[in-house]
């Protein structure tokens, strides 16, 4: 017979909160594991009453959603946490934000709406801004037109299972170019397929179809994650929770 863990079972999850946070400045070079550790330490410092898993090694109930790659900044990272005590979402946001290092800013915290489905199901696309210093916007526009007119744009992508050829064109929903102070700015929307097509893959595709090679390493910022609407725009994944306006049983507690 399997041995059972000693002590009482952990308290149940009574509330789920969904948070949007940033990854800015030097922290764009932090790995997802580093960011997860920083968030878990901040939850302890902020004394957020986390729910824990059962078993011999209980861990706080935290679910991370589609982390941005190392080296990319983000204005739209998402995480879901389970609480053992009902709390005011805004109080949790403020307490957690105050406990995190500069660069990780908690922008919003909402209660998961009952019957609205999982958060991960709402994240099927990403909008990226890619800043390309010392690149002529007209040259970039021509390269983008070549990519959008291509039927396929295969690039070699390194994955945990080795190198794999990926069709960037199939994942690319839209792309547009703007110019700003000696740089070209590329805005792209990509579907979050497997393996994920990231900014460096888009640039590799531009190099393949139009021989575009930026002289300075680009800087990418994830501007949004969500579902695509009928116009190809990325929608706000927390909107269903706001609309649900979940009614709390009992008064939420301050953190």
């Amino acid at each position: 017979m399997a041995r059972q863990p000693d002590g009482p079972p952990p308290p149940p999850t009574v509330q789920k909160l969904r948070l949007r946070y940033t990854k800015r400045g030097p922290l764009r070079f932090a790995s997802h594991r580093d960011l997860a550790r920083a968030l878990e330490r901040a939850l302890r410092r902020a004394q957020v009453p986390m729910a824990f898993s059962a078993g011999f090694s209980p861990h706080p109930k935290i679910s991370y959603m589609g982390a941005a790659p190392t080296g990319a900044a983000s204005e739209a990272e998402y995480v879901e946490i389970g609480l053992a005590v009902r709390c005011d979402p805004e109080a949790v946001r403020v307490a957690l934000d105050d406990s995190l290092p500069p660069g990780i800013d908690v922008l919003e915290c909402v209660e998961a709406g009952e019957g609205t489905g999982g958060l991960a199901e709402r994240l099927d696309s990403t909008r990226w801004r890619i800043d390309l210093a010392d690149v002529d916007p007209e040259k970039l526009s021509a390269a983008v037109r070549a990519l959008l007119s291509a039927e396929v744009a295969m690039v070699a992508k390194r994955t945990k299972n080795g190198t794999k050829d990926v069709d960037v064109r199939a994942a690319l929903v839209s792309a547009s170019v703007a110019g700003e102070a000696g740089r070209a700015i590329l805005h792209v929307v990509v579907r979050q397929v497997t393996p994920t097509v990231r900014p460096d893959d888009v640039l590799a595709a531009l190099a393949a179809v139009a021989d575009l090679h930026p002289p300075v390493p680009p800087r990418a910022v994830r501007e949004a994650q969500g579902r695509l609407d009928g116009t190809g725009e990325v929608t706000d994944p927390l909107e269903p929770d706001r609309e649900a306006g979940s009614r709390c049983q009992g008064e939420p507690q301050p953190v």
Side-chain angles (χ1 to χ4, degrees):
M1 180 181 294
R3 179 188 169 193
Q4 297 298 315
D6 297 328
T13 300
V14 301
Q15 186 183 35
K16 290 182 179 180
L17 298 180
R18 292 166 174 171
L19 300 92
R20 176 189 175 196
Y21 64 98
T22 69
K23 186 174 71 160
R24 296 169 172 162
L27 281 181
R28 70 184 186 276
F29 297 110
S31 68
H32 172 62
R33 183 172 297 179
D34 291 335
L35 291 173
R37 281 196 292 259
L39 180 60
E40 291 175 23
R41 288 195 297 267
L43 287 166
R44 290 194 295 269
R45 286 195 296 269
Q47 299 182 357
V48 177
M50 298 295 297
F52 283 77
S53 63
F56 289 103
S57 299
H59 58 274
K61 291 190 175 180
I62 305 174
S63 298
Y64 299 95
M65 312 289 168
T70 302
S74 178
E75 295 294 312
E77 298 299 285
Y78 292 92
V79 65
E80 182 177 277
I81 60 176
L83 303 190
V85 176
R86 297 192 65 84
C87 293
D88 174 33
E90 178 60 13
V92 172
R93 188 200 69 77
V94 172
L96 184 57
D97 188 57
D98 288 345
S99 300
L100 283 163
I104 307 177
D105 301 311
V106 184
L107 302 180
E108 188 170 7
C109 178
V110 301
E111 183 170 6
E114 186 174 349
T116 61
L119 180 57
E121 299 167 1
R122 305 176 198 166
L123 305 177
D124 64 12
S125 301
T126 291
R127 186 175 73 244
W128 289 98
R129 170 185 167 133
I130 308 171
D131 286 17
L132 301 166
D134 298 329
V135 171
D136 180 7
E138 290 299 325
K139 183 176 180 180
L140 177 59
S141 294
V144 167
R145 287 194 296 271
L147 177 57
L148 292 175
S149 64
E151 292 187 4
V152 297
M154 305 299 295
V155 301
K157 182 178 180 68
R158 186 179 301 172
T159 71
K160 62 181 181 181
N161 297 320
T163 301
K164 182 177 181 179
D165 289 336
V166 176
D167 182 7
V168 171
R169 182 64 189 90
L172 185 62
V173 177
S174 63
S176 61
V177 176
E180 180 182 297
R183 69 182 61 199
I185 301 170
L186 174 61
H187 292 278
V188 298
V189 174
V190 294
R191 295 182 182 88
Q192 295 183 177
V193 296
T194 302
T196 304
V197 171
R198 293 174 169 169
D200 57 335
D201 301 313
V202 175
L203 293 173
L206 290 171
V209 302
D211 197 29
L212 182 76
H213 299 278
V216 178
R219 180 169 292 190
V221 180
R222 172 185 268 165
E223 296 183 314
Q225 286 192 81
R227 287 178 179 152
L228 287 175
D229 65 13
T231 67
E233 292 296 320
V234 179
T235 60
D236 183 351
L238 299 184
E239 186 60 30
D241 301 306
R242 297 192 206 94
E243 292 179 351
S246 300
R247 294 184 178 179
C248 301
Q249 296 179 359
E251 291 296 323
Q253 301 298 311
V255 179

